[in-house]
Amino acid sequence: MKRTSPSTRSPRAAASSRPTIKDVAARCDVHPSTVSRALSPAMKHLVAGDVVERIQAAANALGYRLNMAAKGLRTGRSGLIGVLAPDIADPGFPPVLSGIADHLNAEGYATIVVDVGSKGSEQNLVDRLIARGVDGLVLATVSLRDDVVKHCLDAALPVVLVNRVDAAGLLPSAASDDAAGMRLAVQHLVALGHRRIGHVAGPQHISTGARRRAGFEASIAAAGLSARHAPVEAVEAYTRAAGREAALRLLARRTRPTAIVAANDLLALGVYDALAARGLACPGDVSVVGHNDMPFVDMVAPPLTTVRIAQRDMGEAAARLLLDRLAGREAVTDHIVLAPELIIRGSTIAYEH
């Protein structure tokens, strides 16, 4: 009898040996539709817990895996969500992504994360994700006036923004209350006796940069301080190097600030660098407040006082907004705003007049 080696076995024979959903159903003595629901993260709640466990064990024993491509043909859904990140190396983004991915995964969706970077074309990347059949998009990259907003609306694809808003509010969003964050920072410094407070502002074409600057200026006015003693230096990018250069410009002014509020923590670390370059101490000469509370800023010297934003909650909120749209549900609100919190550490002290 002629034997057929594994290497010469026909693809049809190999495919027929794969376990099917009917095999799992037969082993568990249930209907195939019950197996389908039990193995679907989005539907397993419809099946009794002990039955789900029994079906999962049988599927594992048989080596059965849900065929997502075939499921997509039946449902018209890929089960994939695209997430565009402004800079995957930014320490502040992973908690946001974790909130997005975990919430979507619990509902049966997988995420494809794309790092736009400094030279990437956001619109081109959106098109490539759409071509791959994603069911929706979460964008953390949109500027205040961005052509990609209209592009997404024209594509009629469910899209939400995270940690960003567009100027016209056309797309649903989940973001922190930037004005409130700046208010917390300025009020803290004023309570410590500071009257000359500078601001290293973020990029003004991005909502976080523009809204935090507006929040800083409004808080200075509300505190009864002179705008002349509250200088602002804006940067083109949220980087430590950009923060250093902006802070050096603030420190070179005739009346040096006794405190500096930075639009994010990377910029605040750049302020630390500028102070060191000028032979000044933080907080002895200049107090510093950051924004975001990214990982490890409690371990720098001195530990950074900063505005903590609920990054993971923000990601989860964006995922919920997107799921509502995928399900055709109307959300209670299209724009979720999360309250920030001031975390006081060693980079701010009272100013002695």
Side-chain angles (χ1 to χ4, degrees), residues 29-66:
D29 194 24
V30 297
H31 194 275
S33 63
T34 302
V35 175
S36 179
R37 287 193 292 270
L39 296 180
S40 169
M43 299 181 68
K44 66 181 181 181
H45 66 281
L46 300 174
V47 182
D50 60 327
V51 178
V52 170
E53 291 180 6
R54 185 156 53 89
I55 289 173
Q56 185 64 67
N60 291 340
L62 290 170
Y64 173 77
R65 295 292 180 268
L66 192 62

Side-chain angles (χ1 to χ4, degrees), residues 71-320:
K71 181 181 178 183
L73 290 174
R74 293 193 305 271
T75 64
R77 295 282 180 89
S78 67
L80 299 174
I81 300 297
V83 180
L84 262 64
D87 181 3
I88 203 69
D90 184 337
F93 188 70
V96 177
L97 177 59
S98 177
I100 295 169
D102 287 352
H103 197 80
L104 290 175
N105 181 61
E107 298 298 326
Y109 288 92
T111 53
I112 302 175
V113 182
V114 178
D115 185 358
V116 175
S118 59
K119 298 181 180 179
S121 167
E122 185 178 7
Q123 189 162 310
N124 178 260
L125 291 171
V126 165
D127 284 338
R128 290 166 69 180
L129 286 169
I130 292 174
R132 281 162 175 75
V134 295
D135 294 328
L137 293 171
V138 180
L139 307 182
T141 53
V142 169
S143 58
L144 279 168
R145 293 168 181 81
D146 201 323
D147 291 340
V148 80
V149 172
K150 183 178 184 302
H151 188 67
C152 289
L153 290 170
D154 289 343
L157 187 73
V159 180
V160 301
L161 307 182
V162 66
N163 198 33
R164 293 283 194 276
V165 297
D166 60 290
L170 297 176
L171 291 178
S173 63
S176 184
D177 190 334
D178 292 315
M182 283 292 114
R183 187 162 58 249
L184 290 172
V186 171
Q187 288 176 346
H188 169 63
L189 292 170
V190 169
L192 290 174
H194 294 275
R195 296 295 180 268
R196 301 195 306 275
I197 304 171
H199 178 43
V200 175
Q204 294 302 287
H205 66 283
I206 295 175
S207 63
T208 52
R211 289 155 70 96
R212 289 174 189 177
R213 176 176 183 166
F216 171 81
E217 292 173 342
S219 299
I220 289 293
L225 301 182
S226 168
R228 184 166 57 90
H229 291 149
V232 176
E233 291 287 348
V235 301
E236 292 299 318
Y238 278 122
T239 65
R240 183 167 180 166
R244 180 182 185 276
E245 294 306 310
L248 287 173
R249 295 194 295 272
L250 286 176
L251 296 173
R253 294 186 176 241
R254 178 178 298 179
T255 304
R256 191 182 73 205
T258 64
I260 295 176
V261 178
N264 85 348
D265 293 335
L266 283 175
L267 297 179
L269 294 182
V271 176
Y272 277 22
D273 295 337
L275 291 173
R278 290 292 176 264
L280 298 171
C282 173
D285 295 310
V286 179
S287 288
V288 178
V289 180
H291 205 293
N292 289 4
D293 195 28
M294 72 180 190
F296 308 120
V297 293
D298 58 329
M299 300 177 68
V300 298
L304 182 65
T305 293
T306 187
V307 176
R308 174 180 292 168
I309 64 176
Q311 293 162 314
R312 183 179 175 84
D313 292 346
M314 189 189 304
E316 291 179 352
R320 287 196 303 272

